[in-house]
mmCIF file of all heavy atoms in Angstrom:
data_model
loop_
_atom_site.group_PDB
_atom_site.id
_atom_site.type_symbol
_atom_site.label_atom_id
_atom_site.label_comp_id
_atom_site.label_asym_id
_atom_site.label_seq_id
_atom_site.Cartn_x
_atom_site.Cartn_y
_atom_site.Cartn_z
ATOM 1 N N ASN A 12 192.111 -113.305 2.465
ATOM 2 C CA ASN A 12 192.482 -112.628 1.227
ATOM 3 C C ASN A 12 192.152 -111.151 1.434
ATOM 4 O O ASN A 12 190.995 -110.766 1.389
ATOM 5 C CB ASN A 12 191.681 -113.231 0.063
ATOM 6 C CG ASN A 12 191.855 -112.449 -1.226
ATOM 7 O OD1 ASN A 12 192.751 -111.607 -1.338
ATOM 8 N ND2 ASN A 12 191.001 -112.732 -2.205
ATOM 9 N N LYS A 14 192.793 -108.678 -0.374
ATOM 10 C CA LYS A 14 192.516 -107.939 -1.622
ATOM 11 C C LYS A 14 193.284 -106.606 -1.609
ATOM 12 O O LYS A 14 194.399 -106.556 -1.087
ATOM 13 C CB LYS A 14 191.006 -107.762 -1.798
ATOM 14 C CG LYS A 14 190.264 -109.101 -1.676
ATOM 15 C CD LYS A 14 188.833 -109.066 -2.110
ATOM 16 C CE LYS A 14 188.235 -110.447 -1.972
ATOM 17 N NZ LYS A 14 186.840 -110.535 -2.419
ATOM 18 N N HIS A 98 191.900 -115.904 -8.866
ATOM 19 C CA HIS A 98 190.715 -115.403 -8.164
ATOM 20 C C HIS A 98 189.738 -114.827 -9.194
ATOM 21 O O HIS A 98 190.167 -114.248 -10.208
ATOM 22 C CB HIS A 98 191.149 -114.321 -7.156
ATOM 23 C CG HIS A 98 190.037 -113.922 -6.243
ATOM 24 N ND1 HIS A 98 189.046 -113.046 -6.635
ATOM 25 C CD2 HIS A 98 189.732 -114.294 -4.979
ATOM 26 C CE1 HIS A 98 188.184 -112.907 -5.636
ATOM 27 N NE2 HIS A 98 188.581 -113.657 -4.618
ATOM 28 N N GLU A 100 188.054 -112.241 -9.283
ATOM 29 C CA GLU A 100 188.239 -110.812 -9.579
ATOM 30 C C GLU A 100 189.343 -110.625 -10.615
ATOM 31 O O GLU A 100 189.275 -109.719 -11.450
ATOM 32 C CB GLU A 100 188.553 -110.045 -8.278
ATOM 33 C CG GLU A 100 187.298 -109.901 -7.414
ATOM 34 C CD GLU A 100 187.566 -109.812 -5.923
ATOM 35 O OE1 GLU A 100 188.711 -109.563 -5.510
ATOM 36 O OE2 GLU A 100 186.587 -109.999 -5.158
ATOM 37 N N GLU A 170 184.962 -120.740 -5.023
ATOM 38 C CA GLU A 170 184.354 -119.457 -4.664
ATOM 39 C C GLU A 170 183.290 -119.102 -5.699
ATOM 40 O O GLU A 170 183.620 -118.571 -6.773
ATOM 41 C CB GLU A 170 185.414 -118.357 -4.628
ATOM 42 C CG GLU A 170 186.505 -118.605 -3.609
ATOM 43 C CD GLU A 170 187.199 -117.313 -3.206
ATOM 44 O OE1 GLU A 170 187.666 -116.581 -4.097
ATOM 45 O OE2 GLU A 170 187.250 -117.029 -2.009
ATOM 46 N N ALA A 174 178.649 -115.265 -4.562
ATOM 47 C CA ALA A 174 178.702 -115.236 -3.099
ATOM 48 C C ALA A 174 179.834 -114.363 -2.571
ATOM 49 O O ALA A 174 179.952 -114.146 -1.365
ATOM 50 C CB ALA A 174 178.870 -116.663 -2.564
ATOM 51 N N ILE A 175 180.660 -113.836 -3.475
ATOM 52 C CA ILE A 175 181.836 -113.080 -3.032
ATOM 53 C C ILE A 175 181.459 -111.634 -2.709
ATOM 54 O O ILE A 175 180.974 -110.912 -3.576
ATOM 55 C CB ILE A 175 182.949 -113.111 -4.086
ATOM 56 C CG1 ILE A 175 183.460 -114.554 -4.251
ATOM 57 C CG2 ILE A 175 184.095 -112.182 -3.692
ATOM 58 C CD1 ILE A 175 184.511 -114.714 -5.316
ATOM 59 N N GLY A 176 181.663 -111.261 -1.467
ATOM 60 C CA GLY A 176 181.431 -109.877 -1.052
ATOM 61 C C GLY A 176 179.966 -109.455 -1.097
ATOM 62 O O GLY A 176 179.650 -108.278 -0.997
ATOM 63 N N GLY A 215 183.477 -117.062 -0.087
ATOM 64 C CA GLY A 215 182.301 -116.298 -0.505
ATOM 65 C C GLY A 215 181.442 -116.003 0.701
ATOM 66 O O GLY A 215 180.677 -116.851 1.151
ATOM 67 N N SER A 216 181.653 -114.782 1.268
ATOM 68 C CA SER A 216 180.873 -114.342 2.423
ATOM 69 C C SER A 216 180.941 -115.298 3.618
ATOM 70 O O SER A 216 179.945 -115.526 4.306
ATOM 71 C CB SER A 216 179.418 -114.064 2.024
ATOM 72 O OG SER A 216 179.362 -113.043 1.037
ATOM 73 N N VAL A 217 182.122 -115.851 3.852
ATOM 74 C CA VAL A 217 182.307 -116.652 5.073
ATOM 75 C C VAL A 217 182.446 -115.681 6.244
ATOM 76 O O VAL A 217 183.165 -114.678 6.160
ATOM 77 C CB VAL A 217 183.562 -117.551 4.985
ATOM 78 C CG1 VAL A 217 183.751 -118.339 6.279
ATOM 79 C CG2 VAL A 217 183.465 -118.492 3.794
ATOM 80 N N LEU A 235 188.490 -119.483 2.380
ATOM 81 C CA LEU A 235 189.247 -118.362 1.840
ATOM 82 C C LEU A 235 188.345 -117.153 2.044
ATOM 83 O O LEU A 235 187.242 -117.092 1.507
ATOM 84 C CB LEU A 235 189.560 -118.587 0.357
ATOM 85 C CG LEU A 235 190.364 -117.492 -0.354
ATOM 86 C CD1 LEU A 235 191.692 -117.213 0.346
ATOM 87 C CD2 LEU A 235 190.638 -117.887 -1.805
ATOM 88 N N VAL A 236 188.829 -116.225 2.875
ATOM 89 C CA VAL A 236 187.938 -115.205 3.418
ATOM 90 C C VAL A 236 188.392 -113.810 3.032
ATOM 91 O O VAL A 236 189.556 -113.452 3.242
ATOM 92 C CB VAL A 236 187.938 -115.307 4.963
ATOM 93 C CG1 VAL A 236 186.880 -114.387 5.546
ATOM 94 C CG2 VAL A 236 187.713 -116.739 5.406
ATOM 95 N N GLY A 237 187.489 -113.020 2.493
ATOM 96 C CA GLY A 237 187.799 -111.637 2.157
ATOM 97 C C GLY A 237 187.425 -110.719 3.306
ATOM 98 O O GLY A 237 188.174 -110.546 4.276
ATOM 99 N N GLY A 238 186.230 -110.139 3.219
ATOM 100 C CA GLY A 238 185.772 -109.126 4.178
ATOM 101 C C GLY A 238 186.026 -109.456 5.646
ATOM 102 O O GLY A 238 186.560 -108.622 6.393
HETATM 103 P P1 LIG B 1 184.411 -112.378 0.804
HETATM 104 O O1 LIG B 1 185.548 -112.660 -0.293
HETATM 105 O O2 LIG B 1 184.718 -113.248 1.987
HETATM 106 O O3 LIG B 1 184.514 -110.918 1.112
HETATM 107 O O4 LIG B 1 183.100 -112.761 0.176
HETATM 108 C C1 LIG B 1 186.035 -113.948 -0.508
HETATM 109 C C2 LIG B 1 187.095 -113.946 -1.581
HETATM 110 O O5 LIG B 1 186.919 -113.258 -2.603
HETATM 111 O O6 LIG B 1 188.137 -114.624 -1.457
#
Side-chain angles (χ1 to χ4, degrees):
N12 172 13
K14 308 192 179 182
H98 190 281
E100 286 151 16
E170 299 203 307
I175 295 177
S216 300
V217 178
L235 180 56
V236 188

